[in-house]
Amino acid sequence: MIGSNGVSDADNSLPPSGPALRQAFEALVTTFQQRGIRYAIIGGIATIQHTRVRTTDDIDALLTVPQIALPGLFEALRDRGFAIDFLKSIREFRDDHLTTIRFGDVIVDLMQPVLPAYAHVLDRAIDAQILGHTVQISSAEGLIVMKLIAMRSQDESDIQDLLAAYAGKLDLDYVRSELDAFSKPDDPMRMKFETWVRQVTSHP
């Protein structure tokens, strides 16, 4: 779990999903770092670093890339073993703000932080040690915000795990301020979140 200094206390590593996931992760973050890409790992891999090891078979990343730099980024990723349809990926990332590439059987989703809430997640990214690398991952609060927006069954479980792992130590004012931007006080999603908060923390 991430320590009080904002850096993970230990390398919680990745789930035992086979060597391809580890290879894909190392190739992805190395490419980002070498090319000076501003990014944050989100999704299951980031959640694992904050809570517990669970199964995940893909990699999700928020990143900002100028359009002029996209071809070079995708070429660098291809050179490291990723399967990429260049024209399709550039068009999707530019127009849909999301594209999917592959490393063997590993699916990698690359997402632009178009929503203000997602941009704030990127702004609040923290350091974590994964496979011997210092990488940028979403903070626990950022993950909670993104998972509240998605609110699938796995997201609900992850939110509860994050609240329990950091009981009483999360910046819930930040989470609530983000919720104000896209939900009403009586939104069922928000009411469910506040119930979980009351269950695992001393916050009202």
Side-chain angles (χ1 to χ4, degrees):
M1 195 171 83
I2 306 300
S4 59
N5 60 357
V7 181
S8 75
D9 294 325
D11 182 359
N12 292 324
S13 195
L14 302 181
S17 302
L21 183 67
R22 294 167 176 265
Q23 292 169 6
F25 182 83
E26 290 186 306
L28 185 71
V29 298
T30 298
T31 302
F32 287 165
Q33 291 168 353
Q34 288 182 346
R35 301 189 70 83
I37 301 297
R38 187 163 172 255
Y39 75 96
I41 300 299
I42 56 175
I45 288 178
T47 303
I48 287 167
Q49 302 305 311
H50 289 286
T51 57
R52 57 184 172 79
V53 174
R54 66 166 173 80
T55 300
T56 186
D57 297 315
D58 57 13
I59 303 171
D60 303 294
L62 276 177
L63 64 156
T64 57
V65 187
Q67 186 172 334
I68 194 172
L70 279 176
L73 171 62
F74 288 136
E75 287 175 7
L77 289 169
R78 182 195 58 189
D79 291 344
R80 289 187 176 274
F82 289 88
I84 302 174
D85 182 329
F86 274 65
L87 294 180
K88 180 173 179 287
S89 289
I90 290 173
R91 183 182 67 251
E92 288 177 344
F93 197 77
R94 180 194 64 206
D95 299 339
D96 303 330
H97 315 298
L98 172 69
T99 192
T100 298
I101 61 178
R102 288 181 174 271
F103 187 98
D105 293 331
V106 178
I107 297 172
V108 180
D109 287 331
L110 305 177
M111 180 190 307
Q112 290 193 69
V114 177
L115 294 177
Y118 288 3
H120 299 159
V121 170
L122 188 56
D123 290 341
R124 294 170 63 98
I126 61 174
D127 289 338
Q129 293 294 322
I130 306 178
L131 300 180
H133 300 276
T134 300
V135 303
Q136 289 278 289
I137 69 170
S138 170
S139 67
E141 293 90 346
L143 285 172
I144 289 172
V145 169
M146 297 190 75
K147 289 177 178 297
L148 284 167
I149 293 173
M151 209 58 168
R152 298 159 298 197
S153 58
Q154 182 62 63
D155 295 312
E156 293 192 23
S157 177
D158 287 343
I159 292 167
Q160 293 175 77
D161 283 346
L162 288 161
L163 288 170
Y166 288 93
K169 299 178 182 178
L170 292 170
D171 183 356
L172 293 180
D173 288 340
Y174 157 70
V175 175
R176 288 174 177 135
S177 70
E178 294 294 336
L179 286 174
D180 287 340
F182 61 84
S183 68
K184 297 180 179 179
D186 61 351
D187 188 310
M189 169 271 293
R190 187 162 186 165
M191 296 173 70
K192 187 178 290 189
F193 168 69
E194 294 296 347
T195 297
W196 294 333
V197 170
R198 287 193 295 271
Q199 290 172 346
V200 299
T201 77
S202 59
H203 287 69

